[in-house]
Amino acid sequence: MNDYDVLVQLYFAPERSMRRVDIARAVLLTASGITRLLDGLERNGWVEKKACSTDARVSYAALTETGIAK
């Protein structure tokens, strides 16, 4: 269920991407919990990690075309 919730959050987010910490807050997971969940979604090709151009400490999760179709 958490996988689906994250995909939905990303689908409706601007540019279909969110800061990883914001996704964790939205789906009520810890930082380590969201990392494990997003790692699985990345392995499936549904989500990709993106760096922030203005702050190297921040990373984003972005929905891929495969993730949109899922």
Side-chain angles (χ1 to χ4, degrees):
M1 191 62 164
N2 283 336
D3 289 356
Y4 177 76
D5 195 8
V6 168
L7 293 175
V8 169
Q9 294 292 327
L10 289 171
Y11 184 83
F12 289 106
E15 298 180 30
R16 295 205 165 105
S17 69
M18 292 175 69
R19 293 184 324 158
R20 295 166 79 91
V21 67
D22 292 335
I23 298 169
R25 284 187 194 124
V27 298
L28 305 176
L29 286 175
T30 63
S32 62
I34 198 66
T35 296
R36 284 192 300 275
L37 189 143
L38 288 173
D39 285 347
L41 295 178
E42 288 174 34
R43 279 192 299 277
N44 288 328
W46 300 337
V47 172
E48 63 186 356
K49 189 184 292 186
K50 293 200 171 185
C52 179
S53 60
T54 59
D55 189 342
R57 298 170 295 174
V58 176
S59 65
Y60 288 85
L63 203 56
T64 63
E65 290 299 320
T66 305
I68 293 169
K70 185 67 174 164

